[in-house]
Amino acid sequence: MLDQVLRVPPSHNTCAMANAIRFLAIDAVQQANSGHPGMPMGMADVATVLFRDFITIDPAAPEWPDRDRFVLSNGHGSMLLYALHHLVGYPDMTVEQLRSFRQLGSRTAGHPEYGHALGIETTTGPLGQGLATAVGMALAERMLNARFGDDLVNHHTYVFCGDGCLMEGISQEAIDLAGHLRLSKLIVLFDDNGISIDGSTDLSTSTDQARRFEASGWNTDRVDGHDQAAIHAAIMRARFSDRPTMIACRTTIGYGSPKLAGSEKSHGAPLGSEEIAATRAQLGWNSEPFSVPQAVLDEWKVVAERGAEARRQWEARHAQSPKREEFDSRLAGALGEGFSALMADFRRQLASDGPKLATRKSSEVALGVINDFTDLTVGGSADLTHSVFTLTKGMGDVQAGAYDGRYIRYGIREHAMGAVMNGLSLHGGFIPYGGTFLVFSDYMRSSIRLSALMGVRAVYVLTHDSIGLGEDGPTHQPIEHLTMLRATPNLLVFRPADAVETAEAWEIALTANRPSVLSLSRQNLPTLRSGDAEENRSRRGGYILRDAPGRRDVTLLAAGSEVEIAVQAAGILQEQGVAAAVVSVPSHELFLEQDAAYRADVLGKGPRIAIEAGGGMSWDRLLGAEGRFIGMTSFGASGPAAQLYAHFGITTEKVVTAAHEMLETGRRLAEPEVLS
């Protein structure tokens, strides 16, 4: 196959090919008066060798499944990627797009954004995220290869990264995991230029990065990043390694600039017209801005021609493969016919049986049904498998040399777990989910945010979701976390009240076109839903769980474990002559997406009280100015869960008292003033 051909670096116009990248980047940053020219100038030789001699992509078929993946982890150097895409012929990366760099509505955003232009495999910018996401892509390749063999899956994942990526803590989590799993198809090209924004990296680090990678189980190499023959030889060695490889490419930031090369001043600002003219003279580049000589463009066309031929060969193998239909179905990512009916039957059974389970345990029961139905799901946890209940029977561990399993032991690496899940989802072929405690969503906040920004299907199973976890105390009791997650655009946050709602949340999460969080309890909760399990009521985000008899006096809103408190309070209020409706709100996001008439009907016109054992800010949108929140206004404490709820006033009695106070206040305001 083409992938195995020993490629010898040609002797033709290689310097001009690299200079085309440099000057497209220089010109675009200058026109935008914004951007980062230094990295594209420094890494242009490495990029030229990688794309000219190794990368297998076809710009005419950018979603071809067995293409190589390229991730620009140091995404501030985005003009390197856009220049490459223009030169190799992605149809949407026109010179007009390069001229519109960093402008509103252009495909050439300041940092590469997944979905904004063809061939961008992942959004990058937060340093280290691209490297960690690429680990997920490389893992997906090995896992699919274990299922379908070399004929259908046999490609590399290449990463450009800089000093900043490797200083970020997520990088260690990611390279440690990749080395442990021996992801030999992963090749990282490190822009080892010794410069950060503040100046020399000597100001802040003394780490020998090659030795660090070696300690994590990687093969490493060091080359002159401007010696194209040496770069070619190093990449060739990496492609035949049985471990992932990091190649430290010693480069000069702002290469070619007489005054700014090697200086932090070339990192994040235009060179200026005088220095650009001097750089053109220094490198012998006589073309006008945004212009590339036809002879150089012809050299770059070879990349697309080689990729197109590789794709045609793959398509021929694909057409003859007995696993073709299974492969195509998996890449499509659809759960298939019968899933909705399966989950409806499961809901009816739960409503009938009425189990009293912690929702983390209800999640495990639901996953048992789901994972038996489909093998698209790939689970894992951050060393909390038997606390978050993410492993079901028969999944098997994913380990080095045994990639046919479905359960990933991420270790205590929450941040990398989120990024790896993004990579698995972006690559295609799997629906990843991963578990940890809700309080540790702090550790993977950037990964979750990128999930939402890209709209990838990843499911975060976050348990121990309130002071209800008890004795572990305030370090482990999430207070502000649900507010933070609910404030994140394009992220579905579910806090189910019982086993039925948990099953509903899983069904929605697995069929959504965006990421989801399942916020799950440690403590046991009764089944509150009965007799109405035919419909997935959580799809509307909020619904009337218990209606008020006759005219409604007050509406009690709650999610998760506090819905039980609301139901108990409604019963007491009814005995006292107050008609209280209970509204379960498992997903604020889905509820706010409903039409105004539905929301008004559910919320009612009377006073509203929300109950949740966390911070209350996210409930303001539902309560209105006159609503009352019963929950946490401080951090928690260590003690048994029942005592904590009483101590912090999250009780049935507190809800009943608040309802009477609000009704009495309303009556006083409604009474006409009596004049003496």
Side-chain angles (χ1 to χ4, degrees):
M1 293 185 291
L2 284 178
D3 191 54
Q4 301 301 325
V5 173
L6 180 66
R7 302 187 182 104
V8 178
S11 59
H12 45 248
N13 208 2
T14 54
C15 291
M17 292 176 73
N19 284 339
I21 297 172
R22 291 187 174 102
F23 285 100
L24 287 174
I26 289 169
D27 294 339
V29 171
Q30 182 69 17
Q31 174 137 326
N33 196 29
S34 172
H36 300 75
M39 189 280 272
M41 295 169 71
M43 284 293 280
D45 290 302
V46 180
T48 297
V49 173
L50 178 62
F51 274 71
R52 181 196 66 204
D53 299 343
F54 296 103
I55 280 273
T56 303
I57 55 172
D58 183 1
E63 299 298 319
W64 163 43
D66 204 33
R67 67 191 182 279
D68 288 338
R69 270 63 170 180
F70 175 69
V71 173
L72 187 72
S73 189
N74 42 351
H76 55 268
S78 57
M79 264 311 305
L80 177 135
L81 184 62
Y82 303 145
L84 283 166
H85 282 196
H86 174 70
L87 292 166
V88 302
Y90 280 91
D92 66 338
M93 196 53 63
T94 62
V95 71
E96 287 75 21
Q97 287 296 326
L98 302 186
R99 289 180 182 275
S100 300
F101 179 53
R102 285 181 164 235
Q103 303 309 300
L104 183 64
S106 73
R107 295 188 177 92
T108 47
H111 294 82
E113 295 186 34
Y114 173 74
H116 281 228
L118 300 174
I120 296 176
E121 301 287 0
T122 183
T123 297
T124 56
L127 294 176
Q129 283 289 329
L131 172 59
T133 302
V135 171
M137 294 177 180
L139 178 57
E141 190 275 342
R142 288 292 82 194
M143 292 174 67
L144 283 176
N145 175 271
R147 289 156 172 79
F148 296 101
D150 287 352
D151 280 352
L152 292 181
V153 185
N154 186 22
H155 57 265
H156 284 81
T157 301
Y158 296 99
V159 183
F160 276 16
C161 73
D163 295 287
C165 292
L166 299 187
M167 288 188 212
E168 291 285 0
I170 191 175
S171 71
Q172 182 56 42
E173 295 182 22
I175 67 173
D176 187 11
L177 183 62
H180 172 73
L181 293 174
R182 298 182 76 89
L183 300 179
S184 60
K185 296 281 206 175
L186 176 62
I187 299 175
V188 172
L189 296 134
F190 166 37
D191 181 15
D192 184 15
N193 60 34
I195 295 293
S196 63
I197 292 175
D198 282 355
S200 170
T201 54
D202 291 342
L203 292 169
S204 58
T205 181
S206 302
T207 300
D208 184 326
Q209 295 293 353
R211 293 180 66 186
R212 174 185 167 213
F213 274 76
E214 288 170 4
S216 297
W218 287 56
N219 177 48
T220 63
D221 215 332
R222 300 176 192 262
V223 298
D224 178 345
H226 303 295
D227 182 338
Q228 293 196 11
I231 297 164
H232 177 99
I235 297 174
M236 183 58 70
R237 288 191 293 271
R239 286 164 59 88
F240 287 96
S241 173
D242 63 350
R243 293 179 289 167
T245 297
M246 187 275 270
I247 303 170
C249 305
R250 192 64 179 175
T251 63
T252 300
I253 191 171
Y255 179 91
S257 169
K259 292 183 179 180
L260 300 179
S263 166
E264 68 275 9
K265 293 179 181 179
S266 69
H267 169 81
L271 300 185
S273 57
E274 290 185 9
E275 190 63 15
I276 291 173
T279 304
R280 277 181 152 79
Q282 177 96 347
L283 295 178
W285 188 261
N286 300 316
S287 297
E288 294 296 314
F290 298 102
S291 178
V292 178
Q294 187 60 49
V296 178
L297 290 174
D298 290 343
E299 299 285 2
W300 276 108
K301 286 180 181 178
V302 173
V303 177
E305 291 169 357
R306 187 183 71 243
E309 176 58 26
R311 176 180 58 82
R312 286 190 289 268
Q313 291 186 16
W314 179 86
E315 287 174 344
R317 297 193 301 274
H318 172 264
Q320 297 299 317
S321 174
K323 296 184 176 181
R324 179 185 61 196
E325 291 186 6
E326 180 188 353
F327 179 82
D328 292 347
S329 175
R330 176 177 283 278
L331 266 292
L335 289 165
E337 294 183 9
F339 182 65
S340 179
L342 172 79
M343 296 307 289
D345 288 342
F346 180 51
R347 283 196 304 275
R348 284 191 289 268
Q349 187 64 50
L350 289 171
S352 174
D353 294 345
K356 186 173 184 177
L357 296 171
T359 50
R360 61 172 177 155
K361 190 67 177 178
S362 297
S363 172
E364 179 190 41
V365 176
L367 278 171
V369 173
I370 292 162
N371 290 339
D372 282 347
F373 177 81
T374 179
D375 61 359
L376 281 172
T377 47
V378 173
S381 84
D383 198 48
L384 286 169
T385 295
H386 301 296
S387 292
V388 297
F389 298 134
T390 42
L391 176 64
T392 62
K393 290 181 180 179
M395 295 187 78
D397 286 349
V398 175
Q399 288 293 329
Y403 303 109
D404 55 346
R406 292 173 59 195
Y407 196 77
I408 301 167
R409 305 287 181 167
Y410 286 103
I412 306 170
R413 306 184 183 100
E414 290 91 352
H415 202 180
M417 178 174 72
V420 168
M421 286 165 58
N422 285 339
L424 288 164
S425 184
L426 288 164
H427 181 282
F430 301 101
I431 304 173
Y433 67 86
T436 187
F437 293 175
L438 176 58
V439 75
F440 299 138
S441 60
D442 285 340
Y443 279 151
M444 55 181 175
R445 163 68 178 150
S446 187
S447 298
I448 295 174
R449 187 173 189 271
L450 283 185
S451 297
L453 184 60
M454 294 186 286
V456 300
R457 184 168 45 170
V459 185
Y460 296 91
V461 183
L462 305 180
T463 71
H464 296 62
D465 71 347
S466 73
I467 60 170
L469 71 88
E471 292 83 352
D472 275 348
T475 61
H476 284 55
Q477 292 166 0
I479 302 299
E480 70 278 20
H481 300 74
L482 283 165
T483 296
M484 176 268 290
L485 292 165
R486 287 169 178 158
T488 305
N490 204 40
L491 178 67
L492 291 176
V493 181
F494 296 94
R495 189 162 185 253
D498 64 5
V500 176
E501 284 191 358
T502 304
E504 289 178 333
W506 268 112
E507 182 182 1
I508 298 165
L510 292 175
T511 54
N513 58 357
R514 47 183 157 170
S516 300
V517 164
L518 270 65
S519 173
L520 306 172
S521 74
R522 177 180 185 265
Q523 68 271 39
N524 289 338
L525 304 176
T527 298
L528 300 173
R529 283 272 292 281
S530 61
D532 61 349
E534 181 68 27
E535 176 191 358
N536 185 331
R537 303 188 73 190
S538 295
R539 286 196 185 279
R540 306 201 76 169
Y543 62 94
I544 299 171
L545 175 67
R546 170 180 168 147
D547 209 349
R551 183 177 180 274
R552 189 191 308 187
D553 295 317
V554 65
T555 300
L556 308 180
L557 301 145
S561 45
E562 288 69 65
V563 176
E564 179 184 8
I565 294 174
V567 169
Q568 292 171 349
I572 294 172
L573 286 167
Q574 183 176 339
E575 293 174 358
Q576 296 173 348
V578 176
V582 176
V583 173
S584 179
V585 192
S587 172
H588 287 216
E589 300 75 34
L590 290 177
F591 183 66
L592 291 169
E593 289 173 7
Q594 304 305 306
D595 61 73
Y598 176 79
R599 285 184 278 120
D601 182 61
V602 169
L603 294 174
K605 296 180 180 179
R608 301 170 194 165
I609 301 171
I611 312 108
E612 187 164 65
M617 190 179 297
S618 58
W619 289 93
D620 291 347
R621 297 173 294 183
L622 306 183
L623 285 175
E626 304 302 323
R628 185 84 66 91
F629 177 71
I630 294 173
M632 298 295 293
T633 57
S634 68
F635 292 114
S638 179
Q643 293 180 23
L644 292 173
Y645 272 83
H647 175 75
F648 289 106
I650 307 172
T651 63
T652 299
E653 293 76 17
K654 188 71 174 286
V655 176
V656 170
T657 299
H660 283 296
E661 289 174 351
M662 295 180 78
L663 291 170
E664 179 60 29
T665 299
R667 279 192 290 269
R668 287 200 305 269
L669 292 174
E671 292 174 356
E673 183 179 358
V674 178
L675 299 177
S676 58

